[in-house]
Amino acid sequence: MTSTAQAPQPGAGTAHPEHLGHVIFIAAAAAMGGFLFGYDSSVINGAVEAIRDRYDVGSAALAQVIAIALIGCAIGAATAGRIADRIGRIRCMQIAAALFTVSAVGSALPFALWDLAFWRIIGGFAIGMASVIGPAYIAEVAPPAYRGRLGSFQQAAIVIGIAVSQLVNWGLLNAAGGDQRGKLLGLEVWQLMLGVMVVPAVLYGLLSFAIPESPRFLISVGKRERARQVLAEVEGKGVDLDARVNEIEHAMKSEHKSSFKDLLGGSFFFKPIVWVGIGLSVFQQFVGINVAFYYSSTLWQSVGVDPSDSFLYSFTTSIINIVGTVIAMIFVDRIGRKPLALIGSVGMVVGLALEAWAFSYHLVDGKLPATQGWVALVAAHLFVLFFALSWGVVVWVFLGEMFPNRIRAAALGVAASAQWIANWAITASFPSLADWNLSGTYVIYTIFAALSIPFVLKFVKETKGKTLEEMG
């Protein structure tokens, strides 16, 4: 770029793009992957009982069909980084969009239960890819001055996707007169619930053609001039573009590629800090949060709630999830990660314990007694609120900050894998546990929520206000 009389701004950290709206559009388009992540994860909630009825399967087999997507998630998350480094972030998004589309069509038109399970795995692979590529791309294109706020788009998109899936499910069920196997447009309602995801999946694919490739990837494949153009687009033309390109190149050359071997050490296989990351991931899932998003309609129907009302409660729970996430985004940098986690743990213990108490009562005419029914409903929303304003956001913030630079990438990968495995364990076990003893199941979740308090107090260090270099 030829020099002019106007000196460039001193650094990228103070850069403010001329067209901030365009940068927001780029981040929002990339975050559509997060929307699909939330939508696809949660939409199955509305189809659980209809799938059980249509294919006449027991709780254990049904749980495997619901949870099997998480196997695809783990594979997609593990491979997305390498795919993105080879063919680019945008191509990776387009592959994920295509997989989401194929999964939606296949899930809506299954021949048999195994067929549905296969399409669920394909959708899971897309979720795994989206969970990795969205945040990575946004971090690479966002101006440093706006990176934190734009990075939060991913989590916001996930919780909005969950809420929209529940609203769509509720609307379709009402259109079919409350019958989950009722016919609409020649298909059973549950099939349409799964098929509607085609719309946001196609939109995600189209949006990926409207946003630029990451400057970091462009530089890695030798396209320096195109990288300069993108940097000018997202950081502003006042920035010294040559200096920014050289800065990115230098950072890429000096980066230590962390490997699994770097995580080994200590008396229990992994370094202690890696175990703390795994512990955070496992506790986040073992409180049973995904039961609220995968099985809530089934849960409410099992205690006598009308199907239409159960779908409405699933939607209101999703709205509470959004509210809690916004609260976390406001306070995570103000009061700190550790205090927020502890507040959330205490709130979750109260909510889960009240649910366990309410579900311990015998059903009368197929329903919980009125008092216990209302307590269960309020407690479920209370639990989701406290999870969302704490562990739902704080764990990901911790995992991004707590590891030393030398092992960050590999340690984050192990912790994220532990999270998918824990998610699978809870998702696959809930139907059988609920058949055994619903109240007892919630007692187990309450115990894990309670154990998270001493875990955070003893092992987790506050990362608020510290640079990544200070983490060791």
Side-chain angles (χ1 to χ4, degrees):
M1 187 179 193
T2 55
S3 60
T4 64
Q6 183 183 5
Q9 292 179 4
T14 58
H16 297 274
E18 289 85 355
H19 305 292
L20 181 58
H22 181 57
V23 177
I24 291 172
F25 168 77
I26 290 171
M32 270 297 293
F35 177 90
L36 283 158
F37 176 166
Y39 193 101
D40 193 34
S41 297
S42 185
V43 72
I44 193 70
N45 186 2
V48 173
E49 287 307 301
I51 292 169
R52 186 201 299 267
D53 183 59
R54 173 159 172 174
Y55 297 107
D56 192 25
V57 292
S59 294
L62 179 70
Q64 294 309 317
V65 174
I66 306 305
I68 201 166
L70 298 170
I71 296 172
C73 290
I75 298 170
T79 58
R82 291 185 180 181
I83 294 171
D85 284 340
R86 292 211 173 169
I87 65 174
R89 283 59 166 153
I90 299 298
R91 288 282 178 268
C92 195
M93 289 182 199
Q94 290 163 356
I95 290 172
L99 292 175
F100 274 124
T101 303
V102 170
S103 170
V105 174
S107 298
L109 304 170
F111 301 109
L113 197 62
W114 67 265
D115 178 33
L116 176 61
F118 173 76
W119 298 118
R120 295 273 301 148
I121 294 175
I122 298 296
F125 191 92
I127 291 174
M129 291 183 74
S131 72
V132 170
I133 200 61
Y137 173 84
I138 293 171
E140 290 177 358
V141 300
Y146 296 96
R147 185 172 294 138
R149 281 164 285 184
L150 293 175
S152 68
F153 278 27
Q154 176 80 359
Q155 180 64 20
I158 291 171
V159 296
I160 291 170
I162 291 171
V164 171
S165 73
Q166 300 310 310
L167 181 59
V168 169
N169 285 355
W170 180 61
L172 288 172
L173 185 70
N174 279 319
D179 183 1
Q180 288 166 272
R181 294 199 59 192
K183 291 293 182 74
L184 279 177
L185 303 177
L187 297 173
E188 293 186 7
V189 169
W190 69 271
Q191 293 176 276
L192 277 181
M193 290 175 181
L194 302 182
V196 165
M197 194 178 69
V198 165
V199 176
V202 170
L203 179 60
Y204 180 40
L206 293 174
L207 286 171
S208 70
F209 287 98
I211 58 178
E213 182 54 88
S214 151
R216 187 182 177 90
F217 174 75
L218 291 168
I219 291 170
S220 75
V221 294
K223 297 182 178 179
R224 288 173 58 95
E225 187 54 41
R226 177 57 185 147
R228 282 164 49 90
Q229 294 170 3
V230 175
L231 285 167
E233 189 179 332
V234 299
E235 293 191 3
K237 294 178 181 176
V239 174
D240 186 335
L241 299 176
D242 287 324
R244 284 290 289 125
V245 169
N246 290 334
E247 182 186 355
I248 293 171
E249 265 187 330
H250 177 73
M252 290 171 67
K253 287 176 182 175
S254 61
E255 275 179 356
H256 170 78
K257 295 284 185 182
S258 57
S259 66
F260 187 78
K261 190 184 298 183
D262 294 322
L263 308 182
L264 306 181
S267 54
F268 296 101
F269 192 68
F270 286 129
K271 295 178 186 294
I273 190 67
V274 179
W275 280 116
V276 174
I278 292 171
L280 284 168
S281 287
V282 170
F283 274 117
Q284 189 201 48
Q285 295 300 316
F286 275 16
V287 296
I289 186 59
N290 279 310
V291 168
F293 298 121
Y294 297 159
Y295 295 113
S296 59
S297 293
T298 296
L299 175 64
W300 295 123
Q301 289 172 54
S302 73
V303 293
V305 174
D306 175 81
S308 293
D309 288 341
S310 75
F311 277 55
L312 177 61
Y313 298 153
S314 296
F315 173 62
T316 57
T317 302
S318 301
I319 297 299
I320 293 294
N321 190 30
I322 294 174
V323 172
T325 301
V326 171
I327 292 171
M329 289 163 63
I330 292 170
F331 287 104
V332 69
D333 285 323
R334 295 187 182 182
I335 68 172
R337 291 81 165 117
K338 193 168 177 176
L340 211 53
L342 292 169
I343 291 168
S345 292
V346 172
M348 288 192 295
V349 168
V350 173
L352 289 166
L354 286 172
E355 285 192 85
W357 172 80
F359 292 137
S360 68
Y361 281 74
H362 293 294
L363 304 185
V364 179
D365 296 327
K367 295 184 178 182
L368 279 176
T371 300
Q372 283 72 28
W374 280 107
V375 168
L377 188 60
V378 172
H381 286 73
L382 185 73
F383 162 60
V384 171
L385 175 65
F386 275 96
F387 176 87
L389 65 80
S390 59
W391 285 74
V393 170
V394 164
V395 168
W396 288 109
V397 175
F398 267 131
L399 294 181
E401 296 176 337
M402 65 186 286
F403 301 116
N405 280 334
R406 194 172 62 83
I407 66 168
R408 178 168 294 114
L412 184 51
V414 167
S417 296
Q419 197 168 120
W420 287 119
I421 292 168
N423 188 341
W424 173 84
I426 291 296
T427 305
S429 64
F430 176 74
S432 296
L433 284 173
D435 284 351
W436 161 69
N437 189 316
L438 186 56
S439 177
T441 303
Y442 274 84
V443 168
I444 293 170
Y445 300 155
T446 306
I447 290 169
F448 278 112
L451 289 174
S452 71
I453 297 172
F455 175 80
V456 170
L457 287 171
K458 183 171 178 60
F459 298 110
V460 179
K461 294 180 180 178
E462 180 60 77
T463 57
K464 174 193 170 188
K466 295 182 179 179
T467 66
L468 297 182
E469 288 67 36
E470 288 180 79
M471 299 302 152

